[in-house]
Amino acid sequence: MFSVEEAGSTVAQAYLRKELFATFSYNIQIAKEQNNLRAMGLYSGYEGEPEDAEESINLVLRLDYLLDCLTLFYGPSSTASGSGAQSALGQLTGGASRDLRGATTAHIAFNGLGSDFELMLEERGIISVCRLAIAEPEPPVDLDFGSSPVIQQLIIRSEWLRDAFNELDPTSETVGITMSPTAPFFSISTTGDNGSTEMTYSKDEHVLSSFFCSEEQENRYKLAQLLRCKHALSLSDKTKIRVNQRGFIYFQFMIPTDADISFVDFLFAPQSLPNEL
């Protein structure tokens, strides 16, 4: 899983299932030893007890460097149009829509503490090997979605959501998302220099294949952050949206692949909590 955080209010996660790899080897013993060393204080950047060590490894990489490696065969550096994690996140999730899937094969390797993260790319006989230094792990950003009950949930065909995103007023700072037990059941709205735009959706099974709403709630989110998920949306067939009682919204994009379905998740914090509106 790859996870990216921005501004303490957005988390994006991409899941790569084992079935997507031609070969997959994972040494659980190395993972246990590494996490135990962290828990005992022999490796900084970890808070916890040895019994909490999991059979997984968490690595921290510079996102802009990783994107430079992944796009080595396909054009300029991600830093050409900006700098830092913000521009890199934008390129990862909202950049050009050219579909390069299957054009390049990748080999990913990490041999434990003290080793670099290794990424080998091969295309038409040309091989590139990139080695990235590992940063010390930091406590993950927790937007606390699970601490509050889910009051709204739907599954929508992504083509309908893509149309909505294309109609959003780019001059608007925020986007409003409302779900209600009664019509209109689901709506997306913006207000900007060009006026107001609102898209509403019925519970027609050709639009919403699943819908649940225990109480009506309208929340507003930063439009610039919400548009980060536009590229993942463009690749997906269906999108699941969940909102908890505190207004945190969770998008899960179901993306078909040759092997199976992959998932890309985005979690956004609201501009203000519902009881502050």
Side-chain angles (χ1 to χ4, degrees):
M1 179 186 74
F2 288 88
S3 180
V4 181
E5 174 270 331
E6 182 182 32
S9 60
T10 303
V11 174
Q13 296 177 329
Y15 298 87
L16 302 181
R17 294 187 177 185
K18 186 168 66 175
E19 291 77 13
L20 296 176
F21 297 91
T23 59
F24 184 88
S25 176
Y26 185 76
N27 192 322
I28 294 180
Q29 188 59 36
I30 290 179
K32 288 182 176 180
E33 291 174 358
Q34 173 170 313
N35 287 326
N36 282 330
L37 287 174
R38 287 175 176 161
M40 290 186 292
L42 300 180
Y43 182 77
S44 61
Y46 177 88
E47 296 181 0
E49 300 298 328
E51 60 267 25
D52 295 329
E54 300 178 355
E55 297 178 353
S56 62
I57 298 177
N58 297 322
L59 308 178
V60 178
L61 304 171
R62 280 281 301 269
L63 178 60
D64 49 352
Y65 290 171
L66 177 61
L67 289 176
D68 281 343
C69 295
L70 289 171
T71 59
L72 194 62
F73 293 129
Y74 297 106
S77 165
S78 62
T79 58
S81 59
S83 60
Q86 183 172 356
S87 62
L89 176 62
Q91 186 159 332
L92 176 66
T93 59
S97 60
R98 182 166 54 134
D99 190 350
L100 301 175
R101 291 175 295 177
T104 306
T105 58
H107 177 273
I108 298 173
F110 177 69
N111 294 320
L113 287 177
S115 302
D116 291 334
F117 178 87
E118 184 174 296
L119 175 64
M120 183 176 72
L121 303 177
E122 188 275 331
E123 181 177 331
R124 295 188 295 270
I126 301 175
I127 296 176
S128 171
V129 178
C130 303
R131 294 183 177 89
L132 302 178
I134 304 299
E136 293 184 0
E138 299 176 356
V141 174
D142 184 6
L143 296 187
D144 222 10
F145 185 84
S147 66
S148 183
V150 173
I151 61 171
Q152 301 168 345
Q153 177 174 301
L154 62 81
I155 297 177
I156 186 172
R157 295 181 184 275
S158 293
E159 60 188 280
W160 291 98
L161 203 57
R162 284 194 290 269
D163 291 341
F165 271 52
N166 290 332
E167 295 296 326
L168 297 178
D169 187 342
T171 66
S172 176
E173 293 186 1
T174 63
V175 54
I177 296 180
T178 304
M179 294 190 205
S180 172
T182 59
F185 299 96
F186 175 49
S187 65
I188 302 175
S189 62
T190 54
T191 301
D193 297 341
N194 300 322
S196 300
T197 302
E198 182 178 22
M199 285 73 67
T200 60
Y201 301 88
S202 68
K203 286 200 299 184
D204 189 308
E205 63 179 7
H206 297 294
V207 180
L208 303 179
S209 58
S210 174
F211 183 84
F212 161 78
C213 180
S214 62
E215 64 180 82
E216 181 176 353
Q217 189 181 98
E218 178 184 4
N219 297 288
R220 304 200 70 84
Y221 309 89
K222 288 184 179 180
L223 177 60
Q225 291 184 340
L226 202 68
L227 291 178
R228 299 292 193 197
C229 64
K230 194 172 181 179
H231 186 57
L233 172 62
S234 71
L235 299 174
S236 66
D237 284 343
K238 293 183 179 181
T239 302
K240 177 187 284 187
I241 302 175
R242 293 188 291 160
V243 181
N244 70 10
Q245 203 164 42
R246 300 179 69 237
F248 289 82
I249 191 167
Y250 188 97
F251 288 81
Q252 183 174 72
F253 301 101
M254 307 172 200
I255 301 175
T257 67
D258 293 338
D260 205 342
I261 295 177
S262 290
F263 297 93
V264 175
D265 299 347
F266 281 80
L267 179 59
F268 300 98
Q271 281 288 85
S272 57
L273 298 181
N275 58 4
E276 298 175 350
L277 296 175

